[in-house]
């Protein structure tokens, strides 16, 4: 999802990548423009796909999308080779990046992209929509880094919407940078930190053992949702420390099937 080849003409790009996973494999695996998809070796059951950035993206005016359909009983992990860097472009208007995920009955999706870096001068609108069947499982990591080293952030507006069995599970919108409403960097929101992220865990096991809300260190919190799911939200001074917090929770969940194992 990161920049590898430059676009000398800086023209905007419209591209969609599609993944369909079944118990038997990957009948659909197609990428376009800056979104190249590769089947890679899975460490456990199911299949794994890695997103490889083929050019600088997203730039202003780009419209990118990734669609993943994990059908009944299938297991899929999607990761990336490097961070996504939102950059300013010559085209007018913001860039748009849409992620659409569908997880069927008894299916499992681990959506683990690398960080999204909002470079100074960029303007990105990113929306992620997830539709889960009643018995689906989801692990979704979302990390935003506001500005590269030594620079301020661009404008970044993100929205994460999750439905389970047709009913809302989570609908959250975040806005950061010069185009956001005042107070986004204040003590009630980021408190001066430049890395913010979340880890969403959903599955039938949370119906049997719902989590209790609690702090995870000084800058992270575990929150149960109104459904079989839990959300970890964290801020940190940099990407490395943000990833460390989220990875510790994810390892506990993977090893024990419960966030309660994390201390």
């Amino acid at each position: 999802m990161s920049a590898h080849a430059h676009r000398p003409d800086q023209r905007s790009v419209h591209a969609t990548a599609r993944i369909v996973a079944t118990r038997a494999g990957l009948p659909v695996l197609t990428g376009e423009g800056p979104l190249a998809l590769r089947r890679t070796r899975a460490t456990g059951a199911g299949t794994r796909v890695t997103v490889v950035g083929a050019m600088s993206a997203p730039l202003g005016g780009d419209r990118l999308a990734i669609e993943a359909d994990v059908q009944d009983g299938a297991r899929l992990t999607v990761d990336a080779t490097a961070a996504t860097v939102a950059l300013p472009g010559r085209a007018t208007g913001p860039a748009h990046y849409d992620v659409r995920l569908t997880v069927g009955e008894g299916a499992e999706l681990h959506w683990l992209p690398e960080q999204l870096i909002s470079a100074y001068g960029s303007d990105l609108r990113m929306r992620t929509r997830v539709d889960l069947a009643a018995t689906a499982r989801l692990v979704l990591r979302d990390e935003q880094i506001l500005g590269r080293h030594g620079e301020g952030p661009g404008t970044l507006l993100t929205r994460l919407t999750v439905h389970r069995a047709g009913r809302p599970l989570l609908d959250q919108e975040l806005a950061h940078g010069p185009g956001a409403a005042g107070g986004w960097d204040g003590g009630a929101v980021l408190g001066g930190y430049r890395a913010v992220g979340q880890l969403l865990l959903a599955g039938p096991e949370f119906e049997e053992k719902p989590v209790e809300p609690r702090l995870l260190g000084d800058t992270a919190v575990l929150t149960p949702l109104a459904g079989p799911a839990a959300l970890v939200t964290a801020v940190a001074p940099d990407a490395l420390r943000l990833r460390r917090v989220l990875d510790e929770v994810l390892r506990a969940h993977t090893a024990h099937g419960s966030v309660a194992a994390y201390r």
Side-chain angles (χ1 to χ4, degrees):
M1 294 187 189
S2 68
H4 285 289
H6 294 288
R7 273 184 273 166
D9 55 10
Q10 295 283 289
R11 288 182 295 182
S12 60
V13 170
H14 293 196
T16 299
R18 294 182 174 88
I19 307 167
V20 176
T22 68
R23 292 182 181 182
L26 295 169
V28 177
L29 187 65
T30 61
E32 293 180 342
L35 301 173
L37 304 178
R38 301 288 183 266
R39 181 168 183 169
T40 48
R41 186 186 300 274
T43 56
T47 54
R48 176 185 172 196
V49 172
T50 299
V51 183
V52 180
M55 64 176 68
S56 299
L59 305 182
D62 285 354
R63 288 187 174 270
L64 308 180
I66 297 182
E67 301 172 357
D69 180 7
V70 188
Q71 298 186 357
D72 294 356
R75 295 187 62 181
L76 174 67
T77 296
V78 179
D79 57 15
T81 56
T84 297
V85 184
L87 297 166
R90 294 180 182 174
T92 59
H96 293 264
Y97 198 156
D98 293 324
V99 177
R100 296 183 286 271
L101 311 174
T102 304
V103 190
E105 296 289 353
E108 184 171 339
L109 172 62
H110 287 221
W111 187 260
L112 302 172
E114 291 300 310
Q115 296 94 350
L116 169 61
I117 301 173
S118 175
Y120 181 75
S122 65
D123 189 351
L124 176 63
R125 309 289 190 268
M126 184 168 185
R127 174 158 185 168
T128 301
R129 180 182 174 92
V130 186
D131 289 296
L132 302 174
T135 57
R137 287 181 170 85
L138 173 70
V139 174
L140 183 149
R141 183 179 67 206
D142 173 39
E143 299 166 300
Q144 301 167 21
I145 312 303
L146 306 179
R148 294 173 293 191
H149 181 70
E151 70 174 15
T155 297
L156 177 61
L157 176 64
T158 65
R159 185 170 182 179
L160 172 61
T161 306
V162 183
H163 286 78
R164 174 183 176 269
R167 301 183 63 181
L169 183 64
L170 176 67
D171 192 349
Q172 178 175 277
E173 185 171 281
L174 301 175
H176 303 125
W184 66 270
D185 198 24
V189 186
L190 294 184
Y193 289 109
R194 283 295 181 265
V196 57
Q198 52 195 356
L199 181 69
L200 175 62
L201 307 168
E205 61 271 21
F206 290 99
E207 288 182 314
E208 302 170 5
K209 296 181 180 180
V211 301
E212 295 293 330
R214 69 177 189 271
L215 293 175
L216 305 176
D218 295 330
T219 60
V221 63
L222 170 64
T223 307
L225 299 182
L231 180 68
V232 177
T233 305
V235 294
D238 55 51
L240 180 62
R241 278 175 275 193
L242 176 66
R243 176 64 60 85
R244 186 178 301 147
V245 171
L246 300 182
D247 275 356
E248 287 177 355
V249 179
L250 182 55
R251 279 194 294 269
H253 176 71
T254 302
H256 304 283
S258 172
V259 186
Y262 175 75
R263 294 290 185 267

